[in-house]
Amino acid sequence: MSIKLTQLDGSYAGGDNEDNDVEIILGSDILLEVIPRKSIIHSYQPLKDFIETKDLLKSKNVNYVGELVEYSELLRDRLAHHVVTQEGYKSRKERYKDQENKTTEGSEKEFYSRRHKRTEEASKELLEENYNDLIEISGKIKRIENEFAPLLSTTSNHYFCKNCYWFVGDEKIPPFCANCESIININDLDKNLISASFTFLSGKVASYLEGKWFEDYIAKILKKADWEPRCHSLTVGVSGERHPVDVLAAHRKKIRVLIIECKISNSSFGAKDILSFIARWNDIKCDAGIFVVMNKCAGLPPCHKLIRRTPGLTFLDDLYGFSDKEIFVKINKAIQGVTGDAESESEDEKKEGVDKMHEAEENI
Amino acid sequence: MPNIKIIKQSGILSWNKENINEAPGSCGVYVLRSSPINGDVVDVFAADNIKENILQELQKQNLSNVTFFDWYETGNKEDADLLLAELEEKYKLHQKT
């Protein structure tokens, strides 16, 4: 038997559209159209190493990641603050300078001259203080990285004027400081510039580590039990709508389709997310849906009961601090609970399932 | 690497109309950033008129993540194109993963 695909329109024609690749998942009573989306994990080995960490949710790595993300964000904010501060001081100095030039000799001219000088001193003091903060934050990130097996951060130079701590830039160095006009010799940068080596998570890595890593982790667990997962993809529902799905998984032998919504803690979702998940599950028409939260939940929105009352859906939380094996058992039980597979199987199938699970647990 | 002549450059500035109005109306390259840290680049463009192009970018709705920018005045299109290619390579923009 062969499978023939006939394209009726040009929706999937070749081109530069990154949504161009489409996967069709076919099985008994199953026809799914999945549009994979690129993720940084495919091209960045340290992230793959992080996901493959044994007993990841029980390891220190999860805490380290949280700290790396937090400090990298702080470094970005502090540098942004540095730039805004230096602009503010420059603007003020220019105003005082203008006023000083407009006035003739006398106390008023002296006043503006003093103000100009004081602003210059205050700006240098504050920018130096801010610069020291930046060095300290970067130092904390470096110390965390030293204890952390997969090195996720990048290090790059950022240049500050030695005279006034003006942030000069990161790539193309100008011939003089825009603030104090100290000349910068491109062949002798150390003379007038401080080259601060900052360690931080790049924007894409930080964004991935804020939550998407958990989806890849759940997919890793599912793979151990013969599920074929797809992460960060768009799945087309019966309505024709493309739904972003955290984890879509198809079971090769049991011909089941499962969608999973992954959240880190109950502060990262609200009623809208739960209702949106239910709507997606309904439109995609899969066998089961699990709303998974890594941390233990307290104070859930009332509509989470909809999940518990809807056949085919289940809610699972409190995975943090458990080994891969324990999480595998929890997820397996949750899936069996909503698909009813454990009850409908024959004795032989049950035994085969238990053997397979034990084998998978051993491999985990 | 060819020697690219940069007449003037701004340094990294906050994304606001006041700073944009001080950009030159001549040929060069401008960089849009989500933060001043190295690598947080949204996109890089070459322009015949830096100020006019940046003002047009400001009108666009889909640039809410742009908070900083910088510009480089080259004076001629050739140097602008070379600088654009250099910065795109440096910041790994428009590369298929």
Side-chain angles (χ1 to χ4, degrees), chain A residues 13-28:
Chain A
D16 291 332
N17 181 2
E18 74 165 58
D19 283 350
N20 212 38
D21 292 338
V22 172
E23 183 180 3
I24 305 292
I25 298 176
L26 198 59
S28 307

Side-chain angles (χ1 to χ4, degrees), chain B residues 2-94:
Chain B
N3 203 16
I4 302 165
K5 192 183 171 202
I6 296 172
I7 298 168
K8 199 178 177 188
Q9 64 193 82
S10 62
I12 296 174
L13 303 169
S14 301
W15 179 246
N16 59 50
K17 213 163 184 183
E18 199 184 308
N19 285 333
I20 293 169
N21 280 333
E22 289 183 13
S26 57
C27 208
V29 168
Y30 61 95
V31 182
L32 303 181
R33 299 171 183 265
S34 55
S35 91
I37 217 160
N38 190 330
D40 279 4
V41 170
V42 174
D43 215 337
V44 185
F45 299 95
D48 291 330
N49 186 325
I50 297 172
K51 182 176 172 178
E52 201 176 285
N53 273 48
I54 298 178
L55 281 170
Q56 281 172 13
E57 297 287 350
L58 190 63
Q59 304 300 322
K60 289 180 186 173
Q61 299 294 320
N62 60 345
L63 288 183
S64 55
N65 58 338
V66 175
T67 50
F68 293 88
F69 77 109
D70 47 322
W71 51 260
Y72 305 84
E73 187 185 356
T74 57
N76 68 72
K77 199 175 181 313
E78 272 161 13
D79 278 345
D81 289 341
L82 285 170
L83 181 58
L84 175 70
E86 187 187 318
L87 293 177
E88 278 179 342
E89 171 72 33
K90 191 77 197 173
Y91 294 128
K92 293 180 172 53
L93 293 172
H94 311 140

